[in-house]
Amino acid sequence: MEPMTWLGFLPSYLIAAAWLLVPGLAVVLVGRMRGFFAVALAPMVSITLVSVTAVVAQLIGVRFNGLVPAVGLVVFLVVAAAFGWWRDRRFTGARLEFPAAPSVWWLAAATGAGLLAWNLVEAFQRPEFMAQRFDNVWHLNAIRSIVDSGDGSSLTVANLNGTQGGFYPAAFHDVAALVMQGNGGHINAASNATVLAIVTIIWPMSALFLVRSIFRPNPLVVVPVGVLAAAFPAFPLRILDFGPLHPNILGLSILPIALGIAVQLGRLGQDVWLDAPRMTILGMALLPGLVLSHPNVVMLMLLVTGIMAAMVGLRVLNRPRATWGRRGVATMLGALAYVVLVVAAWPVLRPGTPLDSWAAAFDTPAAAGIAVTNATTDGLASWVVSLLMIVGWYAAVRRGLGWLVAIWGVVAYFFIVAASFPADEYRLMLVGIWYNDFHRFVANLPVVALPLAVLGLDHLVVTIQQRLGEVGALKGLARPWLAVVVGILVVVGLAQSTQHTEGMNLARKQAADAYRFDEDSSMITPSEFRLLQQAQRIVPEDAVIANYPGDGSSLTYALIGRHVLLPHFYYEETPARRTVAVNLDEAATDPTVCPILREAHVRYVLDLGGNIEHAAAMPTMRGLDQISTARGFREVARDGHSRLYEITACG
């Protein structure tokens, strides 16, 4: 990859941040929201705006570029202004602000962003490197395809692999494509900048929003929320290595906002500061973007909010019947209807095939241990976070927030099913939407563990303050400067004890291994990339290159903009693909080969050799085995073990 400095990478990051923040911020400000509250909500509105307008643009035959969400923004602003005007007339003219002292919450978000940025920069190593993993072949090719074709619709982007692609959540790719259009065409920088902006901007602010929606933390605990947001090896580092699962990173970063709104809607928190009209309009603004980020995040939302609804209904049932009233009955019936909806929707929304390729990786006690200790899937525990979470269980029950423990227990059980249950219909029913994949599901646990850990820390801090206050000799020490000193010590101690654990160090190392770029890289090595650069100069833009996708050549389109016959490991079979796989090397002697190649514009063959990614799962393509010695092929470029051939047999 062409070398890039972090200073040179900064414009890509700023473009990504602008697309995530600016459109949504304009909408929520017009909708009478402000301060930290407005900025925290802005990305979810921006994601909905970008991903929905990409779908609309494809449906009406308009190329997707920066003008499309800009035009859509006008519509969103009109809706937001109408809502703000209606609410001002119906309720009050006051703008809604986050119910907390703003400075400390901004500091918390900045602290979390700094720690998360450090972790990701350690993983990326250099801004131009890419994750050399299975899923990134799709992600990078999809980004390039959106830029080139102008089609960013989640309804059609999967056609990259064939004509029967179907739905694929493209919100991440749409944002990254906009960044690529603005940064001069640097695809790896665009992808990395989008990931970095999501993780450092959306995730910490969403975590803070969720915590404040549940309870009012002690001022000394607010900044540590940012530290704890960066304290889980499972998210985001684990799914940068496994995958990378960029759509899941986006969806999970938004999810705490949805859960916070649900907490307020169900009046499950310690106070209610969101009114019903705002909760309704925010939910409407959030849901499309969440669906187009990743459907399995929507399923996690349904699971968690279904438990919330059950708890709301149980609260009404536990009250004397004489106190129910019409509102109580309506609440109970609404909660029951929502639970029934979730249960009914679950088997419908799971994958439509019985495919289950993941064997049980752990026994049940080991899987439970991973959930309780917030460990990596290698079994390395995050002790400080987990101890705080366990204290949080106790504090939640004491404060009337026991539903938090129930939610954690159910989500942890789903992880245990994915990680330790046999491959049968029961596992498919529960976790099929996550492809029965415990690597993927473990990233869900921090979303429900984080508020419990914060609650546990809050309980400890409040208890210590109360004990010190009972000591007469120490009452005079309760000064603002002392609170600042104690707060700093808590933040530093928490950061030190969570960022340098064995599990976190391993997560950083594994993510860095995914992004390594040397001659031992799993997909594209420096010598192979040099051959791709030669191919970019040799191969015309309208030509197609025959390739074996497992050797890294499936990334050719993403990296140099030249089309390959097989841009992914999985593909829809076509006559050209079948011909290349079976008898391409017979082009000079088999009269059926060349007409098919000409129709598909296949004029070159790329053989990167080297490592084969997912070798056991890759099909045999004997038509490419003998190209170096077959008649009708001329070598036009080489670098190390990699070769580019022109097909001369077809004229």
Side-chain angles (χ1 to χ4, degrees), residues 7-287:
L7 183 61
F9 174 76
L10 183 60
S12 295
Y13 177 80
L14 293 177
I15 294 169
W19 276 114
L20 291 175
L21 284 172
V22 175
L25 186 58
V27 172
V28 296
L29 288 176
V30 169
R32 305 294 195 271
M33 303 167 199
R34 64 181 183 185
F36 184 90
F37 180 67
V39 178
L41 292 174
M44 75 167 196
V45 179
S46 295
I47 293 298
T48 293
L49 172 66
V50 170
S51 57
V52 169
T53 57
V55 172
V56 173
Q58 185 272 329
L59 292 175
I60 64 175
V62 174
R63 285 185 62 87
F64 177 73
N65 54 39
L67 290 176
V68 169
V71 172
L73 177 59
V74 176
V75 178
F76 275 52
L77 289 173
V78 170
V79 173
F83 168 77
W85 174 84
W86 170 81
R87 193 190 176 284
D88 286 352
R89 288 176 59 87
R90 179 68 177 79
F91 293 91
T92 175
R95 291 177 176 231
L96 184 61
E97 191 167 7
F98 201 62
S103 58
V104 69
W105 292 84
W106 287 116
L107 181 59
T111 301
L115 292 173
L116 290 159
W118 174 59
N119 284 332
L120 263 65
V121 167
E122 287 283 305
F124 292 161
Q125 301 162 72
R126 294 186 58 86
E128 75 273 15
F129 288 0
M130 64 180 180
Q132 303 219 20
R133 292 290 187 264
F134 181 90
D135 289 80
N136 211 31
V137 173
W138 166 260
H139 297 321
L140 293 179
N141 278 324
I143 294 167
R144 170 76 71 177
S145 177
I146 292 169
V147 172
D148 288 353
S149 69
D151 181 1
S153 172
S154 295
L155 304 179
T156 56
V157 72
N159 290 341
L160 176 66
N161 285 346
T163 59
Q164 305 299 321
F167 173 83
Y168 184 87
F172 171 85
H173 311 86
D174 291 334
V175 176
L178 293 173
V179 177
M180 185 177 170
Q181 290 172 356
N183 75 357
H186 299 288
I187 188 168
N188 290 344
S191 177
N192 290 341
T194 304
V195 171
L196 189 62
I198 290 167
V199 170
T200 59
I201 295 173
I202 303 179
W203 169 243
M205 289 197 298
S206 295
L208 287 160
F209 180 91
L210 175 58
V211 167
R212 182 58 188 87
S213 296
I214 297 170
F215 73 106
R216 298 183 295 276
N218 184 288
L220 293 179
V221 175
V222 174
V223 177
V225 177
V227 179
L228 289 171
F232 293 87
F235 183 81
L237 287 173
R238 180 68 187 108
I239 52 177
L240 280 178
D241 169 41
F242 182 82
L245 305 180
H246 291 159
N248 282 82
I249 290 175
L250 175 58
L252 289 172
S253 294
I254 300 172
L255 181 60
I257 295 285
L259 300 184
I261 294 171
V263 169
Q264 289 289 295
L265 182 63
R267 299 177 180 270
L268 290 167
Q270 287 187 342
D271 59 2
V272 178
W273 50 274
L274 269 177
D275 56 57
R278 281 202 172 96
M279 284 186 275
T280 302
I281 197 72
L282 289 174
M284 292 171 59
L286 179 145
L287 191 57

Side-chain angles (χ1 to χ4, degrees), residues 303-304 306-308 310-311 314 392-393 396-397 401-414 448 452:
L303 176 63
V304 172
I307 301 165
M308 288 183 187
M311 293 300 173
L314 287 174
W393 295 347
V397 174
L401 300 171
W403 56 269
L404 271 175
V405 183
I407 284 171
W408 180 88
V410 172
V411 175
Y413 175 73
F414 271 55
V448 293
L452 282 166

Side-chain angles (χ1 to χ4, degrees), residues 346-427:
W346 202 269
V348 175
L349 297 176
R350 71 173 188 172
T353 67
L355 177 65
D356 187 350
S357 58
W358 296 98
F362 306 97
D363 58 33
T364 297
I370 289 173
V372 171
T373 62
N374 293 287
T376 64
T377 49
D378 298 278
L380 299 175
S382 300
W383 289 114
V384 171
V385 172
S386 301
L387 289 173
L388 290 175
M389 182 186 74
I390 292 169
V391 175
W393 295 347
Y394 169 78
V397 174
R398 285 284 304 271
R399 298 187 189 186
L401 300 171
W403 56 269
L404 271 175
V405 183
I407 284 171
W408 180 88
V410 172
V411 175
Y413 175 73
F414 271 55
F415 168 75
I416 292 168
V417 170
S420 67
F421 277 39
D424 57 16
E425 181 63 27
Y426 180 73
R427 188 173 82 170

Side-chain angles (χ1 to χ4, degrees), residues 505-566:
N505 289 337
L506 177 63
R508 276 192 292 266
K509 179 184 180 300
Q510 289 175 331
D513 285 344
Y515 281 83
R516 66 186 296 183
F517 182 56
D518 55 33
E519 290 303 328
D520 292 321
S521 295
S522 62
M523 297 187 72
I524 296 290
T525 67
S527 62
E528 291 167 354
F529 184 69
R530 288 194 297 270
L531 181 71
L532 292 183
Q533 290 178 307
Q534 293 185 62
Q536 187 177 31
R537 294 189 292 269
I538 295 169
V539 178
E541 292 185 9
D542 61 347
V544 175
I545 305 171
N547 68 304
Y548 181 69
D551 64 6
S553 60
S554 49
L555 282 161
T556 299
Y557 174 58
L559 296 178
I560 65 169
R562 295 298 182 267
H563 290 277
V564 289
L565 194 62
L566 297 172

